Amino acid sequence: MCVSFHPLSPSIVAAGSFNGEVVVWNLNEPEKAMCMTAIDSPYSHKEPVLDIKWVYDHSLKKNLLASAGADGKLLFW
């Protein structure tokens, strides 16, 4: 449904799917996902992921992944 490249490491890409999963890959090793959300978790999307963005958190001093779903959830990873 949507993709977003990491702003500092362009080989890292995140994608949001129709079934609510959020998956992150390193394109230098595309055969395996770096991480994937569990769709049966209470802290995941239950409907399609509509948008996904990398957001810099100034307090943590790193980029987090934000996903917005049709279920009305805005989640940070």
Side-chain angles (χ1 to χ4, degrees):
M1 298 289 297
C2 51
V3 298
S4 182
F5 287 89
H6 191 281
L8 301 175
S9 301
S11 65
I12 307 285
V13 63
S17 69
F18 186 77
N19 69 353
E21 288 180 316
V22 174
V23 184
V24 179
W25 289 277
N26 180 345
L27 296 180
N28 293 327
E29 299 178 30
E31 62 279 352
K32 60 180 180 178
M34 290 176 64
C35 63
M36 181 181 305
T37 60
I39 56 175
D40 58 348
S41 167
Y43 303 107
S44 63
H45 293 290
K46 304 299 182 216
E47 294 186 28
V49 178
L50 302 175
D51 200 7
I52 196 162
K53 298 279 189 238
W54 293 96
V55 181
Y56 187 75
D57 184 314
H58 291 279
S59 62
L60 297 176
K61 297 187 180 355
K62 65 180 181 178
N63 285 294
L64 300 177
L65 188 62
S67 60
D71 53 8
K73 292 181 182 178
L74 175 63
L75 302 174
F76 289 89
W77 310 93

